[in-house]
Amino acid sequence: MSIIKQTNRTLLFEEINPEKPDLLTLVGDVRGIDSLSDEKIKEMNEALLVRSFDEFISKFEPVVYSFFNASNQKIMYTLEKPETIPEDMLTPIYLNGQNDFLKMLMSLVEAKRSQSIINVDFQFDKLTDMISPKKVMEDIKQNRKEMQYTYKSYAEMEDEDPHKLDLADKLNIMFEEASVNYNNVLAMLPLAIEDIKTRLLLGESEEKKDHVPLALGVLSMDEKGELKVLEAPKPETAELMVVDDQVNAGLIAALEEDYEALNEESSDYVKALVTRTYCPLASTMVSSIDVKQEVDNYNSYLEFYKEAKDDFIKVVKPLIEKILGVWAFFEQYPTNLKGMKPTMFITNISNDMLVKSSNLPRLITFLNTVNAKNDFDNAIWYGVVPSVSLEQNSNVKLTRQRFKGNEKIEKTGVNSTETLVRLLDVLKDYSVQCFFSYETGDKSTFNYVATEGISKFEERCGTMAGKAYSEFAIPCIPNFTIIPKEKSGVILDKRMKLNESNIAELSSEKEDIMKLWIDGVYVGAAYIAAGLVAAYQCPEYLKEMFKKNVDDGLPGVRFDIEARDHPQRVHTVMAKEITGFTNSIKNEINRRNFGFVFSSENAMLGTENIQSIMVYKARNLMSDGKVYEPIYKTQVTTYIERVLRHATGDFKQENIVQFFSNNPSSQKSKWLEKKDYVNAVLGAGDDVEYEIDEANGYCVLNITFNGNVKNLEIEINRLNSNNRAM
């Protein structure tokens, strides 16, 4: 790997945040130029290249904007920053590790992975309620404990103590995180909902049968020795502060001061809510409560929260699925390894915009710069195009709708086959293998393939077979399910009511259960396919999986994921979703060997039970009329060509002869010496030969894979060959 240090840089064709730089903007006008400068590539890498999911979140800051519409009393959400709305009327909601919806989905993936439970048995509702007010409050309670503990330590220290400054830094961060929600009414709603429940339903439990109002008391004995609970006297308001210790009093004052400093138009109710949330002391309790008003507030808060959360999920879900896709890509490579880590370059522009005839030359110039030179540090090896259109609608036209069915919502961000083909036509010239998957939903899942097979997907790819770009087109199926459509209900809470004793209680009526539906969350298979292939390019990764027979100096370009026990050793980190495919479905897949197909099967590796999703087939769309070609053949061919170009000084004839000679020091001899390694470039049964046509200035490479020959024609003695297909 002294010549080519990486063979797994991946180009993601997706728009993440329109406010951030994108490929078209950074490349700029390319008329009259063939290549970008090194400074420009460095600038693009700083803006668009990520080496981890955390770096992706940090650089692209995925965000959804919210604003209020007074006309319909609703919160509106948009993925694009509205130009006509003033900045101070917009609230950005960042989709990072602190976002409850994204955090819940990641927790689902990790819980399924650790428990190894298929979708039908997994209790999704145990984790989907993470976005309910109750769970939001639980997170805040943990933060509250840490804030109170830190403030107590801070307050007890002498002013000159250097450690007090360290604690002050921690407190500043804690207050900053808490203050994000001060002027965000929607973010305060879960707090308000739980706050009212805490004050009105003190002592509430499922077993509570009586309707007696609560009055705090003390246990005592009367003159006859009988036990009685006497109502405790209510101390005067002026004396309450004496009960509190000065530490908590100081924390309350600090919270109130912080709230007022950040809000020009402060609300006494919200200020009290903030202090009750982060410092729930006896001194902050209200002695008299307007129960009816509080119940009305609670129900209106819950209704508003439900509608707002519902609208938020509908708008943000396509972006969330992209974020989860990037996360899943990086998840395939273990964090403890330090070898050839997968990297991702993100175009951050819509593909419809990218493939316009006026813009495509910018992508071509970028690829020409990074892929058509003898420096391969920035070379792109893979592309990812998720969410390609898949026609699913029935041809049956309804004369009338008898029952309420699915709303026909036009999906945003879906790529047409025509757009994909235009990208493939460019990528083939630079030997970029493109993993693509179809739009997410319940018609492209493991369940769907298990019952319907893969013929639908193969038919959809029919127009892309037999083309010059076919070997660089890799259809990935099925998509991965994070939450199935039918199990995506979230119970937020129950409505509250007043009983005959004028006491607040939660309603037990079914219609008073406040529930929303996420309608399923999925991840495109292309992200995970590219992530896994990028991971096994690294020799350290292969050594982790195989323990022996792995060469430290060779990438995994020849690694055949379909061979022997390779699928059991090199599998995804995603948990199984179904019990498996039937024999008839597997026979159908084996008959044509179509696509990059994942399987959710029971499998063993020695005594180890494999609980993860594995690769069943790894094929592109190049076909000999019978079967499709394995993807490794394309990458080996590209790798040999690039090493040959570098080692021979752009294919000088005398250097080509030396490259393939039987001399022990030749590159071919070195590769053949290592043919028994898992990551051999030329494995057992492989060979590479050449024929030089001096008259026409061409050299034809005949690369043999287990008896099957793949031909590659290169132009010799041409130093200026940047305009040729790489």
Side-chain angles (χ1 to χ4, degrees):
M1 289 166 59
S2 58
I3 296 175
I4 298 180
K5 295 182 175 62
Q6 63 86 13
T7 58
N8 58 4
R9 180 159 296 179
T10 304
L11 183 60
L12 174 61
F13 291 92
E14 271 290 15
E15 183 177 51
I16 305 297
N17 186 345
E19 298 299 310
K20 295 293 181 179
D22 61 76
L23 184 142
L24 292 181
T25 304
L26 290 173
V27 170
D29 189 1
V30 295
R31 283 175 292 188
I33 65 173
D34 187 53
S35 176
L36 303 173
S37 67
D38 292 345
E39 289 77 13
K40 174 58 70 174
I41 294 299
K42 183 179 179 182
E43 179 191 2
M44 294 180 73
N45 285 344
E46 288 173 355
L48 303 178
L49 181 69
V50 295
R51 297 167 182 81
S52 67
F53 179 70
D54 289 340
E55 186 178 5
F56 162 73
I57 292 293
S58 174
K59 276 190 179 181
F60 287 91
E61 295 185 306
V63 63
V64 59
Y65 297 95
S66 69
F67 58 93
F68 297 96
N69 185 347
S71 299
N72 59 8
Q73 295 292 301
K74 293 186 71 173
I75 301 180
M76 312 300 291
Y77 298 97
T78 174
L79 295 177
E80 291 193 15
K81 191 174 184 179
E83 297 179 354
T84 56
I85 296 177
E87 194 83 25
D88 59 349
M89 301 297 289
L90 280 177
T91 301
I93 303 170
Y94 291 99
L95 304 176
N96 52 31
Q98 304 305 312
N99 180 265
D100 58 353
F101 188 44
L102 183 60
K103 189 162 53 175
M104 177 264 288
L105 295 171
M106 289 179 174
S107 298
L108 271 173
V109 176
E110 290 168 348
K112 280 191 63 187
R113 184 188 304 166
S114 61
Q115 295 178 35
S116 303
I117 300 175
I118 60 175
N119 289 348
V120 72
D121 296 326
F122 188 77
Q123 293 182 303
F124 288 90
D125 58 326
K126 299 296 184 185
L127 285 166
T128 54
D129 75 344
M130 284 177 65
I131 61 176
S132 68
K134 179 182 176 182
K135 292 296 182 180
V136 172
M137 195 63 187
E138 284 181 5
D139 287 344
I140 288 174
K141 283 180 180 177
Q142 179 59 36
N143 295 338
R144 179 173 74 197
K145 282 175 64 178
E146 295 174 14
M147 180 185 286
Q148 288 177 318
Y149 174 78
T150 305
Y151 186 84
K152 184 174 184 296
S153 302
Y154 169 83
E156 291 173 350
M157 287 186 177
E158 298 180 15
D159 291 343
E160 294 79 14
D161 192 331
H163 186 49
K164 187 166 188 174
L165 299 177
D166 296 335
L167 292 177
D169 289 339
K170 288 182 67 175
L171 281 171
N172 282 331
I173 294 172
M174 290 177 177
F175 270 68
E176 182 65 30
E177 290 175 348
S179 69
V180 170
N181 297 326
Y182 287 173
N183 59 352
N184 184 348
V185 176
L186 181 61
M188 296 300 288
L189 279 182
L191 313 188
I193 290 166
E194 288 301 306
D195 175 66
I196 293 173
K197 281 177 66 178
T198 300
R199 289 184 290 117
L200 296 190
L201 306 179
L202 196 60
E204 174 79 13
S205 70
E206 293 298 322
E207 295 78 21
K208 184 176 176 182
K209 302 294 183 184
D210 58 10
H211 301 300
V212 180
L214 176 71
L216 295 177
V218 292
L219 182 65
S220 66
M221 291 183 181
D222 66 8
E223 295 175 354
K224 296 180 179 180
E226 292 182 9
L227 286 176
K228 286 190 176 181
V229 178
L230 302 178
E231 185 174 349
K234 293 182 174 64
E236 296 296 325
T237 305
E239 298 173 1
L240 281 173
M241 211 51 167
V242 180
V243 179
D244 297 337
D245 59 71
Q246 294 303 310
V247 170
N248 287 327
L251 181 55
I252 291 172
L255 285 163
E256 289 179 342
E257 187 276 331
D258 191 44
Y259 171 78
E260 290 173 346
L262 293 173
N263 291 273
E264 294 179 5
E265 299 178 4
S266 62
S267 160
D268 289 341
Y269 181 87
V270 177
K271 181 169 69 173
L273 178 60
V274 168
T275 56
R276 282 199 300 270
T277 299
Y278 287 96
C279 199
L281 304 169
S283 60
T284 65
M285 292 180 67
V286 182
S287 57
S288 61
I289 299 175
D290 185 342
V291 177
K292 185 179 184 309
Q293 181 63 56
E294 293 285 0
V295 169
D296 290 343
N297 285 349
Y298 172 89
N299 287 331
S300 66
Y301 293 165
L302 192 58
E303 185 74 39
F304 193 87
Y305 181 74
K306 187 258 183 191
E307 289 184 8
K309 206 71 175 177
D310 210 9
D311 293 341
F312 170 78
I313 289 171
K314 282 184 174 67
V315 170
V316 82
K317 199 167 67 168
L319 178 55
I320 284 283
E321 289 186 341
K322 294 178 189 179
I323 296 169
L324 287 171
V326 175
W327 180 65
F329 172 88
F330 284 110
E331 281 287 287
Q332 306 313 310
Y333 187 85
T335 54
N336 62 307
L337 297 183
K338 306 298 180 186
M340 189 201 299
K341 289 187 175 183
T343 56
M344 180 176 275
F345 191 98
I346 300 170
T347 61
N348 199 35
I349 193 79
S350 75
N351 290 324
D352 286 343
M353 180 66 71
L354 186 61
V355 300
K356 285 184 177 179
S357 56
S358 57
N359 292 332
L360 212 50
R362 301 189 188 193
L363 173 64
I364 292 170
T365 303
F366 167 71
L367 290 172
N368 205 46
T369 306
V370 296
N371 276 29
K373 293 181 178 179
N374 285 346
D375 181 282
F376 306 104
D377 289 351
N378 294 304
I380 303 293
W381 292 81
Y382 309 126
V384 172
V385 180
S387 201
V388 176
S389 175
L390 182 62
E391 294 175 359
Q392 301 175 358
N393 296 332
S394 168
N395 294 324
V396 178
K397 293 185 178 180
L398 300 176
T399 55
R400 61 184 290 268
Q401 191 177 50
R402 279 81 170 174
F403 306 97
K404 184 180 178 182
N406 290 312
E407 291 182 32
K408 297 296 186 289
I409 301 173
E410 187 175 344
K411 283 193 174 183
T412 57
V414 175
N415 298 298
S416 67
T417 302
E418 292 72 26
T419 296
L420 173 62
V421 166
R422 295 202 72 184
L423 289 174
L424 286 170
D425 204 38
V426 171
L427 296 177
K428 78 176 191 313
D429 293 335
Y430 299 94
S431 297
V432 177
Q433 292 176 281
C434 182
F435 297 84
F436 67 91
S437 51
Y438 287 101
E439 59 188 289
T440 56
D442 58 355
K443 297 294 190 293
S444 56
T445 62
F446 280 89
N447 266 333
Y448 182 88
V449 172
T451 55
E452 302 292 334
I454 63 167
S455 57
K456 175 181 178 180
F457 303 99
E458 188 176 2
E459 288 169 11
R460 196 78 176 93
C461 292
T463 57
M464 292 182 277
K467 302 292 193 298
Y469 53 73
S470 295
E471 70 170 306
F472 299 98
I474 306 170
C476 305
I477 52 177
N479 290 329
F480 288 66
T481 302
I482 307 303
I483 304 179
K485 183 178 180 179
E486 68 278 7
K487 291 193 172 187
S488 62
V490 181
I491 295 177
L492 297 176
D493 218 316
K494 301 173 183 176
R495 284 191 178 90
M496 195 180 288
K497 66 177 184 178
L498 290 174
N499 62 27
E500 60 271 16
S501 302
N502 205 39
I503 299 172
E505 63 181 17
L506 294 179
S507 173
S508 58
E509 301 298 326
K510 185 177 180 180
E511 60 268 20
D512 285 336
I513 296 174
M514 300 296 285
K515 188 173 186 177
L516 61 83
W517 289 89
I518 298 172
D519 203 28
V521 178
Y522 309 89
V523 168
Y527 287 104
I528 297 167
L532 186 64
V533 176
Y536 69 60
Q537 294 304 307
C538 173
E540 279 192 37
Y541 174 90
L542 291 174
K543 187 172 286 187
E544 182 92 354
M545 303 304 162
F546 287 88
K547 309 304 180 189
K548 57 183 181 179
N549 290 335
V550 176
D551 187 89
D552 293 333
L554 294 175
V557 291
R558 173 62 177 82
F559 181 73
D560 183 2
I561 188 76
E562 293 182 28
R564 298 186 292 279
D565 63 354
H566 293 181
Q568 287 83 13
R569 292 185 181 276
V570 178
H571 51 71
T572 74
V573 297
M574 311 299 284
K576 285 197 305 182
E577 295 194 14
I578 61 173
T579 53
F581 299 144
T582 63
N583 290 333
S584 59
I585 295 293
K586 285 188 279 192
N587 288 340
E588 179 194 356
I589 297 171
N590 288 327
R591 207 161 32 244
R592 292 284 286 169
N593 286 317
F594 164 81
F596 196 109
V597 182
F598 290 102
S599 70
S600 177
E601 299 282 324
N602 292 322
M604 298 289 292
L605 181 63
T607 58
E608 180 190 356
N609 189 17
I610 307 299
Q611 300 287 352
S612 302
I613 287 174
M614 301 175 293
V615 176
Y616 195 65
K617 296 293 175 186
R619 307 294 175 112
N620 56 43
L621 290 179
M622 176 177 277
S623 172
D624 61 3
K626 296 179 181 178
V627 295
Y628 294 94
E629 188 170 271
I631 65 170
Y632 74 83
K633 292 186 179 182
T634 300
Q635 186 154 2
V636 171
T637 304
T638 302
Y639 181 78
I640 290 175
E641 181 190 11
R642 288 178 178 174
V643 172
L644 181 63
R645 175 187 287 277
H646 181 276
T648 60
D650 288 327
F651 309 128
K652 291 180 181 176
Q653 183 172 334
E654 63 275 15
N655 293 342
I656 292 174
V657 174
Q658 170 59 29
F659 189 94
F660 292 110
S661 73
N662 292 324
N663 189 310
S665 63
S666 74
Q667 185 62 68
K668 178 183 174 180
S669 297
K670 290 178 180 177
W671 282 339
L672 288 174
E673 279 177 9
K674 299 178 178 181
K675 65 181 180 180
D676 294 326
Y677 284 94
V678 170
N679 56 336
V681 174
L682 296 174
D686 295 352
D687 198 5
V688 57
E689 297 175 341
Y690 70 98
E691 298 173 14
I692 293 180
D693 183 345
E694 294 189 28
N696 295 307
Y698 282 96
C699 174
V700 177
L701 299 183
N702 299 311
I703 306 172
T704 303
F705 299 102
N706 288 322
N708 298 314
V709 180
K710 189 175 180 68
N711 300 317
L712 174 69
E713 188 179 86
I714 56 176
E715 194 173 353
I716 60 175
N717 272 333
R718 300 286 179 91
L719 296 179
N720 185 19
S721 55
N722 283 348
N723 60 333
R724 282 193 52 75
M726 288 299 295

